[in-house]
Amino acid sequence: MKNGDVSEGVAQPLEWKFSQVFGERTAGEEVQEVDIISAIEFDRTGDHLATGDRGGRVVLFERTDTPDHGGNRKNLEMMDYSISRHPEFRYKTEFQSHEPEFDYLKSLEIEEKINKIRWCQSANSALYLLSTNDKTIKLWKVREKKVKKVCDLNVYPDKAAGNGSVVGSSTSTAPKPYIANGGYSERPFGCSGKDFSFPPGGVSSLHLPVVVTSQETSLVAGCRRIYAHAHDYHINSISNNSDGETFISADDLRINLWNLEISNQSFNIVDVKPANMEDLTEVITSAEFHPTHCNMLAYSSSKGSIRLVDMRQSALCDTHSKLFEEQEAPGSRSFFTEIIASISDIKFAKDGKHILSRDYMTLKLWDITMDSGPVATFPVHEYLRPKLCDLYENDSIFDKFECCLSGDGLRVATGSYSNLFRVFGCSEGSTDATTLEASKNPMRRQTQTPRPARPLGSLSGVVRRVKGADNTGVDANGNAHDFSMKLLHLAWHPSENSIACAASNSLYMYYA
């Protein structure tokens, strides 16, 4: 880690513990492609968590260890971050966000896979979130709806069936239950046990069902807006603005600005497409709004640079206000240099003073007031550097790992292979560096032993053969690494030391 004053505090090493797992597969169970998680996002309060998968579904979880069981907590910013908590979540609901489509004009199949999920500001106890696949963004509203049911069959005793119609009756009194022999009848007329025959003499009164609203509720997800036909290339990012009214969407060459209320119009604010596509040298890989300044955003490129943009300068933000990139060491360039330099994800720190970026080999932390280079660099899996040729052969070198920061800005985290993720302390003088394996569940291991136990941080895993992959390689510690098991997606709770990460189709929760 390079020197640099990242935060006023010093991140002391934390003891991370397993908390929960959702959707864990049993030993030998084959994972369906559509069930693999492709997006994770906490909402602003941390009381709700959303995941998206390759089958186009969005699954919501809510926190249960708070007094109001996942409601909005007051004075969230005043909570003591140092207190060790054990956040617990439960399954809330799920819905089908996207379906597979086919673009007949381009003869292109559009997958239903969820690329990104972003929470919007909630209102009237309803939850709002944006989800996107390669081409279409949707705004969803999830709310609780009271269940209505038929509770009883009531009777108008003064209106016999043969004495005129009861349709035009102007009786102002409320319907009364049918009274038989001084008591209340709980069965419809003519029903005694299994006998459903009509009583002798016909029907003496009209029985009407009464629909009442019960105390039970059900969750209903409704699509409120569809933002489509604005991107020629695959959407890789969406990000909400701090003004609560607009958001951006980014593909390989353009960034568009949307208003949440207007779905048929967007404004192109960044366009890096050259007049001749043969002159194309880099593409946009990720974009995000500043957390507090509604006029600022940042986007990364495949050349390893980050551009900070101020929308007040011009309508088309092709000229950046600041450029962040690390200078290449003389004589270090190779065939793989530009490939591994490509930034797969960027995140602003909560205070907006720093940007975290993830390229293939490292995490980098940038101070937005210093464009000379990163203030901290964290090697994620340096032992893979001698195997870059093998990683290129099996396409693993193009994997896009995400990154995240803690709410207090003292730590950063990202994923690796064999379902590992790494947590680093990023304050000056910190030596905190922890490796965790998301596929290990201590609670499960006590009840069954599908495979032998391994020390935490081991890369051995369950090695599954992948066509074209070299699974026989080992790291510096002699542990085999499995490129078929990769932890690409993870998210840090906004106010507590809790991390949610996806390993294949399973969602793992850890806390410290």
Side-chain angles (χ1 to χ4, degrees):
M1 184 176 70
K2 295 181 181 178
N3 59 349
D5 186 12
V6 177
S7 180
E8 295 180 358
V10 176
Q12 300 298 323
L14 295 177
E15 181 183 356
W16 289 90
K17 299 177 183 178
F18 168 82
S19 174
Q20 291 176 281
V21 59
F22 297 94
E24 187 182 39
R25 58 180 172 175
T26 58
E29 180 185 356
E30 289 293 329
V31 177
Q32 300 296 321
E33 180 79 10
V34 294
D35 294 330
I36 296 177
I37 297 174
S38 57
I40 301 179
E41 184 78 5
F42 280 103
D43 73 342
R44 182 182 58 85
T45 66
D47 290 333
H48 294 92
L49 175 67
T51 66
D53 62 27
R54 296 187 182 180
R57 291 165 297 187
V58 173
V59 183
L60 303 184
F61 301 87
E62 67 177 352
R63 189 169 178 177
T64 60
D65 62 308
T66 55
D68 52 355
H69 295 287
N72 293 329
R73 297 190 300 272
K74 296 181 179 179
N75 302 325
L76 184 66
E77 303 297 331
M78 301 300 294
M79 296 176 64
D80 186 0
Y81 198 97
S82 63
I83 298 176
S84 178
R85 296 179 176 83
H86 185 178
E88 293 183 357
F89 287 80
R90 68 180 177 188
Y91 169 85
K92 187 178 180 72
T93 188
E94 67 179 80
F95 56 90
Q96 189 70 32
S97 175
H98 288 73
E99 300 282 356
E101 302 175 42
F102 190 81
D103 188 336
Y104 293 97
L105 294 177
K106 297 182 179 179
S107 296
L108 180 67
E109 187 177 351
I110 303 172
E111 294 182 351
E112 64 271 34
K113 172 193 168 188
I114 304 297
N115 290 342
K116 294 290 181 181
I117 294 175
R118 291 293 181 264
W119 290 89
C120 303
Q121 294 181 358
S122 301
N124 301 325
S125 72
L127 303 174
Y128 292 86
L129 54 89
L130 291 166
S131 62
T132 183
N133 64 353
D134 288 340
K135 296 293 183 182
T136 306
I137 309 163
K138 294 184 179 182
L139 174 65
W140 292 90
K141 177 183 179 181
V142 181
R143 62 186 178 91
E144 289 188 348
K145 184 179 180 181
K146 291 186 177 180
V147 178
K148 293 184 178 181
K149 60 173 66 175
V150 177
C151 68
D152 201 354
L153 290 177
N154 291 327
V155 177
Y156 290 92
D158 56 335
K159 298 292 183 181
N163 295 332
S165 172
V166 297
V167 176
S169 173
S170 59
T171 306
S172 60
T173 57
K176 299 178 181 179
Y178 172 66
I179 301 177
N181 299 326
Y184 292 93
S185 173
E186 295 182 351
R187 295 192 182 95
F189 57 83
C191 296
S192 59
K194 297 182 179 179
D195 181 16
F196 292 93
S197 60
F198 283 88
V203 182
S204 60
S205 58
L206 178 63
H207 296 245
L208 297 175
V210 174
V211 179
V212 297
T213 302
S214 68
Q215 297 300 319
E216 298 179 16
T217 59
S218 65
L219 286 165
V220 179
C223 184
R224 304 303 301 270
R225 302 278 190 280
I226 298 178
Y227 313 90
H229 312 299
H231 288 276
D232 292 329
Y233 303 91
H234 292 175
I235 299 172
N236 56 49
S237 304
I238 52 175
S239 178
N240 288 305
N241 199 345
S242 58
D243 62 10
E245 298 178 358
T246 56
F247 71 94
I248 55 172
S249 59
D251 64 22
D252 292 342
L253 300 180
R254 292 186 176 95
I255 299 177
N256 293 333
L257 177 68
W258 301 82
N259 188 298
L260 282 167
E261 299 296 326
I262 303 172
S263 60
N264 60 354
Q265 182 181 15
S266 65
F267 298 94
N268 178 229
I269 57 174
V270 175
D271 189 349
V272 299
K273 184 178 180 180
N276 186 354
M277 285 295 286
E278 293 181 358
D279 298 330
L280 182 66
T281 59
E282 61 181 336
V283 296
I284 299 169
T285 57
S286 182
E288 182 163 300
F289 260 121
H290 191 280
T292 56
H293 298 332
C294 62
N295 56 287
M296 294 178 63
L297 62 95
Y299 68 91
S300 60
S301 81
S302 57
K303 277 194 169 182
S305 61
I306 302 173
R307 290 172 172 84
L308 193 65
V309 169
D310 191 338
M311 294 191 297
R312 296 173 299 184
Q313 292 181 345
S314 62
L316 190 61
C317 306
D318 288 342
T319 56
H320 50 269
S321 56
K322 281 193 177 179
L323 174 65
F324 305 95
E325 58 184 358
E326 191 170 24
Q327 298 300 320
E328 188 177 311
S332 63
R333 187 168 184 82
S334 70
F335 174 78
F336 305 107
T337 299
E338 191 167 313
I339 299 176
I340 64 176
S342 177
I343 296 176
S344 56
D345 189 30
I346 60 171
K347 292 287 194 309
F348 272 101
K350 194 174 182 179
D351 59 7
K353 297 179 180 179
H354 295 88
I355 299 175
L356 180 68
S357 67
R358 169 68 202 265
D359 56 44
Y360 187 72
M361 298 297 294
T362 64
L363 272 175
K364 291 185 175 71
L365 193 67
W366 309 78
D367 188 325
I368 66 170
T369 62
M370 297 170 53
D371 53 8
S372 57
V375 295
T377 301
F378 311 95
V380 178
H381 37 218
E382 193 63 25
Y383 58 86
L384 291 179
R385 195 172 292 276
K387 298 183 67 65
L388 291 179
C389 185
D390 297 328
L391 293 163
Y392 179 79
E393 290 293 331
N394 62 33
D395 287 341
S396 294
I397 201 170
F398 301 106
D399 289 332
K400 300 183 184 303
F401 291 94
E402 294 181 356
C403 58
C404 58
L405 300 93
S406 61
D408 57 6
L410 296 178
R411 294 172 181 84
V412 295
T414 190
S416 182
Y417 293 103
S418 295
N419 290 341
L420 296 182
F421 67 98
R422 306 205 64 192
V423 182
F424 301 94
C426 57
S427 55
E428 185 178 11
S430 174
T431 59
D432 187 10
T434 306
T435 303
L436 296 153
E437 184 182 356
S439 60
K440 298 189 71 171
N441 179 352
M443 298 175 66
R444 179 198 62 193
R445 200 167 59 244
Q446 293 172 2
T447 58
Q448 56 179 338
T449 55
R451 57 178 182 252
R454 304 183 300 278
L456 194 64
S458 168
L459 283 166
S460 56
V462 178
V463 179
R464 292 176 293 170
R465 300 292 176 181
V466 180
K467 184 178 180 181
D470 178 8
N471 291 296
T472 60
V474 295
D475 65 4
N477 299 321
N479 298 317
H481 39 250
D482 183 5
F483 301 137
S484 66
M485 299 170 64
K486 57 194 74 174
L487 197 150
L488 303 176
H489 312 285
L490 75 170
W492 201 302
H493 191 282
S495 60
E496 300 180 26
N497 285 321
S498 177
I499 295 177
C501 52
S504 187
N505 66 321
S506 303
L507 176 67
Y508 288 87
M509 311 287 292
Y510 284 81
Y511 74 98

